[in-house]
Amino acid sequence: MHKNVKNLINIQKEIKSKIIELNYKDYNPKIIAISKTFNKDHILPLVEYGHTHFGENKVQEAIEKWPEIKKKKSEIKLHMVGKLQTNKVKFALQVFDFIHSVDNIKLAKKISEEQKKYKKKPKIFIQINIANEKQKSGINKNDLNEFYNFCKELNLDLIGTMCLPPNDNNSDIYFSEMKKLNKNLALSEISMGMSNDYLNAVKYNSTFLRIGSKIFGPRN
């Protein structure tokens, strides 16, 4: 068995144990294997194993790697987890099923325009800058309701919210707040938790865990 598949199985076991420990019912978060910078040799063993959710953070890289794989395995869902520039939206729609990083009016408008042309609606997460960090993307939580309504008017397929909390070992605070914000908007999906804090995200019912290095190993 390929080491990446072993890593994935171990993570799945850990998550399962955590859910049992928390005594959560009917809760089964999905793992997005973040395959950015890794080539097909690293990805295909997971595809063959039957894993379906993968994430990339650059449109160009995704276009080089995924169309051929997706043609053979139509059940694969590809997630855009990086910053998306408006001039790349039309290309992103050709390969991605989910976009996790919608955080401004210009981008929301562009997705709305392009999805009409392509007759393909990606599932959208609003990215929230949960700790108001200057260097990070994401909508300010005070502007969230207004932005949510704007996206709904544009007929975007809004399914949830996403965050990249600070790496300060306080993820519980941010995940707890994200859960509340998501609930206020009555959204069903929440994208949070990465290789270093996914078990914490499970505590707050994250539905999509974005795990890269813990599956694929360190990036070059």
Side-chain angles (χ1 to χ4, degrees), residues 128-133 136 141 161-182 190-193 197 200-201 204:
I128 302 172
N129 187 345
I130 196 67
N132 284 334
E133 296 174 276
K136 278 192 186 159
K141 56 194 173 203
T161 55
M162 177 271 233
C163 76
L164 287 160
N167 203 355
D168 61 4
N169 297 321
N170 288 326
S171 60
D172 282 82
I173 297 166
Y174 308 115
F175 291 164
S176 166
E177 191 168 1
M178 283 291 293
K179 188 178 175 179
K180 282 181 201 140
L181 292 170
N182 218 51
I190 189 158
S191 165
M192 60 187 190
D197 57 12
N200 259 12
Y204 299 95

Side-chain angles (χ1 to χ4, degrees), residues 99-104 107-108 123-130 137-141 143-152 156-164 178 181-182 185 187 189-192 210:
I99 299 172
H100 288 240
S101 47
V102 176
D103 68 346
N104 65 76
L107 178 59
K123 296 191 180 304
I124 301 289
F125 291 84
I126 294 174
Q127 183 173 350
I128 302 172
N129 187 345
I130 196 67
S137 306
I139 199 113
N140 185 298
K141 56 194 173 203
D143 303 327
L144 179 59
N145 282 16
E146 196 182 333
F147 186 62
Y148 167 85
N149 291 329
F150 179 77
C151 290
K152 289 303 268 185
L156 296 184
D157 186 7
L158 268 186
I159 62 165
T161 55
M162 177 271 233
C163 76
L164 287 160
M178 283 291 293
L181 292 170
N182 218 51
L185 295 174
L187 289 166
E189 308 296 341
I190 189 158
S191 165
M192 60 187 190
R210 309 185 305 271

Side-chain angles (χ1 to χ4, degrees), residues 28 37 47 71 74 121 146 184 217:
N28 187 20
T37 76
V47 171
K71 208 178 276 179
S74 59
K121 284 177 85 168
E146 196 182 333
N184 290 345

